């Protein structure tokens, strides 16, 4: 059984210095330091699909109306 001294139990907790508020520069610095630890495997590119193999696509009428009612990009 471990014995804990009275001084340790009754002592006030040590207050840690407050950290400065985070900002974009701090975040960018943290990311730059962590980036070497993030190893990503080389992704294999999928083989292109021949247009002749793409068939049988159907769109429900409600979805077609929804898209038709949307504005064009840049309107």
């Amino acid at each position: 059984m471990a014995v804990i001294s009275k001084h340790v139990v009754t002592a006030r907790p040590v207050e840690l210095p407050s950290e400065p508020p985070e900002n974009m520069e701090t975040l960018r610095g943290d990311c730059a330091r962590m980036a070497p630890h993030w190893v990503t495997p080389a992704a294999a590119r999928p083989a292109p699909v021949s247009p002749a193999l793409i068939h049988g696509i159907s769109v429900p009428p409600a979805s077609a109306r929804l898209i038709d009612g949307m504005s064009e990009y840049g309107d």
Side-chain angles (χ1 to χ4, degrees):
M1 181 168 146
V3 178
I4 302 172
S5 75
K6 183 178 177 182
H7 173 69
V8 172
V9 174
T10 59
R12 292 179 64 189
V14 177
E15 292 185 26
L16 299 175
S18 63
E19 294 182 18
E22 292 186 13
N23 58 34
M24 187 57 84
E25 290 303 315
T26 304
L27 179 61
R28 291 180 70 210
D30 291 343
C31 291
R33 283 188 298 281
M34 293 185 325
H37 302 287
W38 297 335
V39 179
T40 56
R45 293 189 174 251
V49 176
S50 168
L53 297 176
I54 301 174
H55 63 281
I57 297 172
S58 61
V59 178
S63 296
R65 284 192 300 274
L66 175 70
I67 299 298
D68 188 43
M70 296 175 92
S71 66
E72 295 292 325
Y73 181 78
D75 282 352

